[in-house]
Amino acid sequence: MGQWWAALAGPLDAESFAAAWAAVVQRHSALRSGFHWELKGVPAQVVVAAPAFEVERLDWSARDNWRAALDALLEEDRAHPFDLRRPPLMRVRLVTLAPEGPAPRHLLVWTRHHLAVDGWSLGEILDEVLTLYRGGTVPPALSFRRYVEWWQGRDVDAARAHWGAALAGHSPDSAVRSSTVHAPHIGEACHILAPALADRLGALARSERLTLSTLVEGAWALVLARTEGTDDLVMGCVETVRPPELLGDRSSHMVGPQIGVLPSRVRRDARPLRHWLAELQNARAAGREAGPLGLDTMRDLLGLPSDALPLRSLIAVQTYPLALAAAFRAAGLEILASGDVTLPDMPLNLMVEIGEAFELRLMVDQQHVALTQARQLLDMLATALERLPAHLDAPANTLDVMPDAMRRDIEAALTGQPLPAPAGTALDLILAQMRARPEAPALIATGGVWTYGDLGARAAAIAARLAGAGVRPGARVAVMLEHGPEAVAAILGILCAGASYVPLDPEAPAERRAMILASAGVAALVTRRALADAFPALATLAVEDITPEPADLDALTRPAAVDEAYVIFTSGSTGRPKGVSVGHDNLRTHVAASAAENADLPIGRFLLTFPLFFDGSVTGLFCTLCEGGTLVLPDATQARDVDRLLALIRDNAVTHVCLTPSLWALLLEAAGPQGLPGLRLAKVAAEPCPPALVAAHAARAPNAVLCNEYGPTEATVWVCVERCRPETTGASVAIGHPIPGTRLHVLDAEGRPCPFGTIGELVVSGPAVARAYIGAEPGVALRTPLGGTGATPAVVAYRTGDRVSLGFDGRLFFHGRRDRQVKIAGYRVEPGEVEAALQALPGILDVAVVVDETDGRPARLVAHIGAGPATPDDAALRQLLAARLPAYMIPHTFLRHSRLPRTANGKVDLAALPPAPFTETVDAAPEGTFETALAALWSEALGGVRIGRHDHFFALAGTSLLAMQMIARVRRELAPAATLADLFEAPQLAALAARLAAAANRPEPGPALAGRQRARVELPS
């Protein structure tokens, strides 16, 4: 459907005008045609001898705002589609705006269906109407039947063969689904090229023997390639199909739909732009010779589902044979304003009208494309056309289509607020708090309260013992302690000795700890006496042997900003963990940025749940102590129990928390209607924040700000943040804006800035970028130079590998990874490290590890293995892997194959691996009321899987967080005394039911199963 309108000035004889329209309808069989599907089982065009038609007359002379009334009329008109069986498929309205006086004005509104009128016919019909209106004559109408017969005689098989070859190998990145429920929400953006630019493009077309259509289509393709992040795209070109061999010169005067869609596959490459444009024109000529392609056929050739739109973009370059302004002027009427609203066939519909002006009009369906994006696309197209003439000899893929103003806006949006270079180190700030407020509470734990004075004395004693053991400034010292005050004191003591700390997971396999110690080259280890014997070759310091004494804090070693502060190890893609070296300058910047970003929310009491070997602990520990706040430290039992953790928050008046979104959701659910009114700030990090959590937070913690933080370990914990509110949260939660002092970049594959809304790689620059990797394979560098041209030096940057987009509102959104790295329970996991561990086991012939994230079910690692007769069973594989990997990296499921599928270049074809099935049947159903109720809670926690009485919670992709959630529900609904230890000791359904029933002295029918050996499960971060 199209809606053309014009505001007209001048005297107008309404009766004669309506008669001229009726005469033109009667002249042309295409305008008297309806379409029936019920007659022969196939679409049939039926021409009616004299269809009912009249021009509708409206009087708006009493209205003040005719334009608003017009918009309402057009919207209402679009809501009433044509009955295709009843011609004419057009409606004409003549609206009186000012009937009398020196300047009478009228409004002409013409709605037509594309089955009756195409763009070329629009001009022909208006020419005939105006000619008849002023008393002129028109030649006999050309029969549309001749065109229909010519069209039916085309070689459809040859066209399909041509387009099949042209589109072979193209795979759309995503499919846009057509809506059968909602009508298109029309938006339009317009841009008229300056006459001087239009003249330059005309001269260029003539000198290069190119059509203006080729120039516009080439420029549009380069814009789409830049905004969609692809070098291979397909767009549709709407062609006027008026073969001169049919009626010679008179073909242009035939009225009726004579258009088709030609696919245009465009590859952006390094050929010189003039050659690239010439090839584009040659390909279009060959396509024109083959003929148009039906949209259903196009969808089939592209391998798209039946409900998908075959194209994202259509382009129509129109050079109408009629100068509309001159034609109306000849009839005594002046066009004051005009427009042509076309119901979008595809998300993007570019109309280029070259006549009295060079006009670019982009019609969009705002269900798929926002109007702000449409305006951006037109600005980029105008820029591409402006720069095109000077770029002919340069590679086509280097033409910069981004306007300078847009580049400046993007840079401004990705630059954090200025952050003055902070003085000293984070340790200096903490020591200052110890001196100024020694009696103030620094730590609250199960054992009591540690003041800043207590903490300083303990840290000084550790520093002295380390120095006595030969630890020198610049060395690395490992710390392996459970979550608690002694661990905090150990970290500060290591820093006071001038060394950097390397946190170890006490529950990690010994082999993994040994790899970390060797890679880091640590000089000593701070741990407990019971663990010291496991490290005979390393100087160890047991915290039980530390006797704190009053110390002169000013006499302690002060690391410089250039010194290393800590090394945190993460999963490595080569099979070994790699460390991230973070300097005191990085850490000091982190603390200063946190204070500046949350200046309105100074830290009071901060709940620290993240383990010390996880970089999220850095924020809580250092930011809190630098500000003089109090750290609240849960013990192991509290950290693993939602209800106890909730009580800890309430009993200690916690004001700040930093948790994974999963754990925060559990706490909010457990808080119930009472909520957490005393909380002031809740930070969530380490995994995507779901929109539902924003709403839950607003309901249960109404006085607290919710911050969704994003950042890699390599950029010192965080680089951007979003203060979340339900009213600003859509289908996904933003990761927000850059923190103070940080510069972010969203870059495409060529390292160029991505336009607003385009997905690219997030790159971080600024003082938060960490030093280097420790223990990484040769050639893997953390820092990379960015930019640097002429007199402008390159800046140090870190490429995150994360895919993000910058929204038009200046907020960043996360879209996953460029590589295979995944997050499991908040932890970074490189599948390559898991694969390497599996490859080292006996009987494994081949392996590929992927993450399965089925909707509504927890993410789980799935190992596809090439198995032979000697391959261990699943239980043995888990036991063997537990000696090498932390629990969160052990696959939940093992699928055995005789061989893994391979691509043509010999790599494992991950896309061809079958999905891991969730069991839909069970060996034995739950027995009894209690066991059945417990199975229902398991199923709800695990995403709806069916539960058998012999099923193992952790083998069904159960994680520590899901275990916490499930036990909390069990405690509230079934067994008030249930604990997480019960599940660890009895992870099978029947065994757990029997254990809980026995504890409650409740008899339970059915055989009781003996509890199996306790499985080590990764605890929540």
Side-chain angles (χ1 to χ4, degrees):
M1 179 186 291
Q3 296 169 304
W4 186 89
W5 62 268
L8 306 173
L12 188 146
D13 182 344
E15 295 296 335
S16 299
F17 196 66
W21 275 100
V24 170
V25 169
Q26 191 62 36
R27 275 171 48 80
H28 297 285
S29 58
L31 302 183
R32 293 184 282 109
S33 294
F35 296 86
H36 294 254
W37 276 258
E38 74 279 8
L39 298 180
K40 300 180 179 179
V42 294
Q45 183 176 359
V46 178
V47 180
V48 178
F53 171 79
E54 65 179 17
V55 174
E56 182 179 358
R57 305 278 298 277
L58 300 173
D59 187 351
W60 290 356
S61 57
R63 300 197 180 192
D64 295 330
N65 189 342
W66 68 265
R67 185 55 204 259
L70 171 63
D71 291 338
L73 174 66
L74 294 176
E75 184 174 359
E76 181 185 3
D77 193 38
R78 289 193 294 270
H80 294 82
F82 289 102
D83 181 350
L84 299 182
R85 297 169 300 176
R86 299 180 63 183
L89 303 182
M90 54 184 277
R91 295 188 281 263
V92 179
R93 294 178 176 91
L94 184 61
V95 183
T96 300
L97 301 179
E100 300 175 354
R105 291 179 294 120
H106 292 81
L107 188 64
L108 172 63
V109 182
W110 177 20
T111 302
R112 75 276 181 196
H113 197 286
H114 291 156
L115 285 174
V117 181
D118 62 8
W120 195 292
S121 297
L122 182 147
E124 285 295 314
I125 292 172
L126 285 174
D127 185 33
E128 290 189 7
V129 168
L130 294 171
T131 299
L132 293 174
Y133 170 69
R134 66 176 188 264
T137 59
V138 292
L142 299 174
S143 171
F144 191 66
R145 174 183 289 275
R146 296 188 60 180
Y147 181 83
V148 173
E149 292 172 347
W150 171 85
W151 179 269
Q152 292 175 337
R154 293 178 308 117
D155 190 341
V156 178
D157 293 336
R160 184 182 178 97
H162 171 86
W163 292 116
L167 299 176
H170 176 76
S171 178
D173 292 334
S174 60
V176 179
R177 304 286 175 160
S178 59
S179 175
T180 57
V181 178
H182 301 289
H185 181 200
I186 296 176
E188 181 181 22
C190 298
H191 187 105
I192 297 177
L193 297 185
L197 175 56
D199 291 342
R200 287 202 305 274
L201 292 173
L204 174 65
R206 290 188 295 272
S207 64
E208 296 293 327
R209 296 188 176 182
L210 299 171
T211 65
L212 284 172
S213 294
T214 298
L215 297 183
V216 176
E217 290 167 13
W220 182 237
L222 293 174
V223 168
L224 293 179
R226 181 77 174 268
T227 57
E228 296 178 11
T230 182
D231 288 326
D232 184 4
L233 62 91
V234 173
M235 59 184 182
C237 297
V238 180
E239 283 274 333
T240 296
V241 185
R242 293 173 177 261
E245 67 271 18
L246 187 61
L247 293 168
D249 293 340
R250 300 179 63 201
S251 289
S252 62
H253 298 289
M254 181 178 288
V255 168
Q258 299 162 75
I259 57 173
V261 176
L262 302 179
S264 179
R265 184 176 185 180
V266 184
R267 295 178 176 87
R268 183 180 59 167
D269 54 34
R271 284 175 292 170
L273 182 59
R274 60 166 26 101
H275 300 319
W276 184 84
L277 289 169
E279 287 296 323
L280 177 63
Q281 182 162 287
N282 292 338
R284 293 280 283 105
R288 196 174 295 113
E289 182 69 24
L293 195 62
L295 295 183
D296 289 337
T297 304
M298 196 182 308
R299 187 185 291 111
D300 293 342
L301 293 177
L302 292 171
L304 293 171
S306 59
D307 63 340
L309 295 174
L311 298 165
R312 177 171 170 78
S313 171
L314 286 178
I315 178 173
V317 180
Q318 300 173 339
T319 53
Y320 289 147
L322 174 67
L324 295 180
F328 275 90
R329 193 173 299 118
L333 300 168
E334 290 288 340
I335 297 181
L336 302 177
S338 66
D340 193 2
V341 179
T342 299
L343 212 60
D345 296 301
M346 301 299 159
L348 295 168
N349 302 266
L350 178 64
M351 309 282 289
V352 183
E353 296 184 5
I354 304 173
E356 297 170 332
F358 201 129
E359 183 177 5
L360 311 174
R361 294 174 52 244
L362 184 58
M363 304 289 299
V364 299
D365 182 351
Q366 295 185 75
Q367 295 178 102
H368 305 295
V369 180
L371 195 54
T372 49
Q373 184 179 358
R375 296 190 183 106
Q376 173 180 267
L377 288 167
L378 273 195
D379 288 344
M380 295 177 72
L381 177 57
T383 299
L385 291 169
E386 182 179 359
R387 295 174 179 174
L388 191 147
H391 198 86
L392 291 177
D393 294 318
N397 58 5
T398 63
L399 178 65
D400 189 1
V401 300
M402 179 177 287
D404 294 335
M406 185 190 302
R407 186 185 302 273
R408 290 191 295 269
D409 290 343
I410 289 172
E411 290 176 355
L414 293 175
T415 300
Q417 293 297 316
L419 184 69
T425 65
L427 181 61
D428 292 334
L429 297 181
I430 296 173
L431 293 176
Q433 295 287 351
M434 293 174 175
R435 287 193 299 270
R437 304 167 59 244
E439 300 305 318
L443 309 173
I444 296 177
T446 302
V449 177
W450 286 31
T451 66
Y452 273 90
D454 298 333
L455 184 59
R458 180 67 63 123
I462 292 174
R465 289 288 301 273
L466 288 172
V471 173
R472 297 291 177 260
R476 293 181 180 133
V477 176
V479 56
M480 188 172 73
L481 292 166
E482 70 278 7
H483 204 69
E486 278 119 344
V488 176
I491 287 173
L492 296 179
I494 292 168
L495 297 181
C496 287
S500 60
Y501 75 94
V502 182
L504 295 178
D505 177 4
E507 295 189 0
E511 181 179 342
R512 184 177 182 82
R513 293 200 303 262
M515 283 193 290
I516 291 175
L517 292 172
S519 296
V522 301
L525 168 69
V526 180
T527 186
R528 292 206 172 275
R529 191 181 298 137
L531 301 175
D533 292 342
F535 305 92
L538 196 61
T540 57
L541 175 61
V543 292
E544 297 95 333
D545 298 334
I546 300 299
T547 303
E549 297 178 359
D552 182 4
L553 298 179
D554 291 328
L556 294 173
T557 301
R558 298 293 185 90
V562 295
D563 295 333
E564 183 180 79
Y566 62 85
V567 178
I568 284 183
F569 278 78
T570 67
S571 179
S573 58
T574 61
R576 296 177 61 89
K578 63 177 184 289
V580 177
S581 169
V582 177
H584 278 280
D585 52 352
N586 303 134
L587 181 57
R588 181 67 181 91
T589 296
H590 171 74
V591 170
S594 178
E597 179 66 35
N598 299 308
D600 58 330
L601 296 165
I603 297 175
R605 293 189 171 186
F606 192 109
L607 178 71
L608 181 62
T609 59
F610 284 125
L612 299 178
F613 57 87
F614 190 83
D615 71 339
S617 65
V618 171
T619 295
L621 194 159
F622 289 100
C623 293
T624 302
L625 298 180
C626 284
E627 289 190 30
T630 303
L631 278 174
V632 179
L633 301 170
D635 60 27
T637 301
Q638 292 168 326
R640 299 169 185 177
D641 190 301
V642 174
D643 295 324
R644 288 188 172 95
L645 203 56
L646 183 63
L648 186 67
I649 294 173
R650 288 171 171 163
D651 294 345
N652 291 281
V654 168
T655 60
H656 289 57
V657 298
C658 186
L659 310 159
T660 62
S662 302
L663 181 53
W664 185 228
L666 295 183
L667 283 168
L668 290 174
E669 180 184 3
Q674 179 183 349
L676 293 166
L679 202 67
R680 293 294 173 264
L681 175 63
K683 299 181 179 183
V684 293
E687 62 188 32
C689 175
L693 181 59
V694 179
H697 173 95
R700 298 289 171 87
N703 299 324
V705 171
L706 176 63
C707 287
N708 183 34
E709 293 187 350
Y710 162 89
T713 304
E714 290 85 346
T716 319
V717 187
W718 69 323
V719 296
C720 57
V721 61
E722 166 79 354
R723 289 197 174 191
C724 306
R725 302 189 305 276
E727 61 269 22
T728 60
T729 298
S732 61
V733 179
I735 57 175
H737 62 269
I739 62 174
T742 297
R743 175 83 168 88
L744 303 180
H745 316 261
V746 183
L747 305 180
D748 63 14
E750 284 80 34
R752 298 176 299 189
C754 287
F756 288 102
T758 296
I759 297 174
E761 181 184 9
L762 183 65
V763 179
V764 183
S765 65
V769 175
R771 304 294 182 76
Y773 284 128
I774 307 298
E777 65 177 347
V780 176
L782 187 152
R783 292 184 166 190
T784 183
L786 181 66
T789 56
T792 305
V795 298
V796 172
Y798 168 67
R799 306 186 73 97
T800 67
D802 288 333
R803 300 170 68 247
V804 303
S805 65
L806 177 63
F808 288 90
D809 58 3
R811 297 187 298 165
L812 286 161
F813 291 84
F814 180 74
H815 298 279
R817 292 284 303 174
R818 294 177 65 244
D819 54 20
R820 298 176 58 206
Q821 186 187 104
V822 297
K823 283 287 188 77
I824 299 293
Y827 292 96
R828 182 192 298 186
V829 175
E830 292 281 2
E833 184 174 357
V834 184
E835 290 168 352
L838 278 165
Q839 286 280 22
L841 301 182
I844 302 295
L845 308 179
D846 203 357
V847 64
V849 174
V850 298
V851 64
D852 179 79
E853 296 180 285
T854 305
D855 288 344
R857 288 169 172 164
R860 56 178 182 158
L861 287 175
V862 177
H864 295 264
I865 57 177
T871 303
D873 62 20
D874 290 3
L877 286 175
R878 291 191 178 94
Q879 185 174 3
L880 291 168
L881 288 174
R884 299 174 59 90
L885 299 174
Y888 63 84
M889 294 179 66
I890 296 176
H892 299 95
T893 303
F894 298 92
L895 294 184
R896 286 164 165 76
H897 306 259
S898 58
R899 65 179 63 186
L900 298 185
R902 298 278 173 176
T903 62
N905 59 13
K907 295 183 178 181
V908 174
D909 188 352
L910 299 178
L913 294 171
F918 278 92
T919 303
E920 298 298 334
T921 58
V922 295
D923 293 335
E927 297 180 1
T929 303
F930 186 75
E931 205 171 281
T932 300
L934 183 61
L937 294 182
W938 276 34
S939 178
E940 186 174 339
L942 296 170
V945 297
R946 295 193 61 184
I947 306 297
R949 68 189 317 265
H950 303 311
D951 283 340
H952 190 293
F953 183 83
F954 299 104
L956 293 174
T959 64
S960 53
L961 280 174
L962 292 174
M964 291 175 66
Q965 177 187 24
M966 192 272 297
I967 287 296
R969 291 282 305 278
V970 169
R971 187 181 296 139
R972 289 195 295 272
E973 300 178 23
L974 295 177
T979 67
L980 199 61
D982 291 324
L983 180 61
F984 288 160
E985 297 291 345
Q988 286 180 311
L989 179 75
L992 179 62
R995 181 185 179 101
L996 296 178
N1001 197 26
R1002 180 192 295 115
E1004 179 69 10
L1009 300 181
R1012 294 193 175 187
Q1013 184 177 359
R1014 177 173 176 170
R1016 183 176 63 83
V1017 179
E1018 192 63 28
L1019 296 176
S1021 50

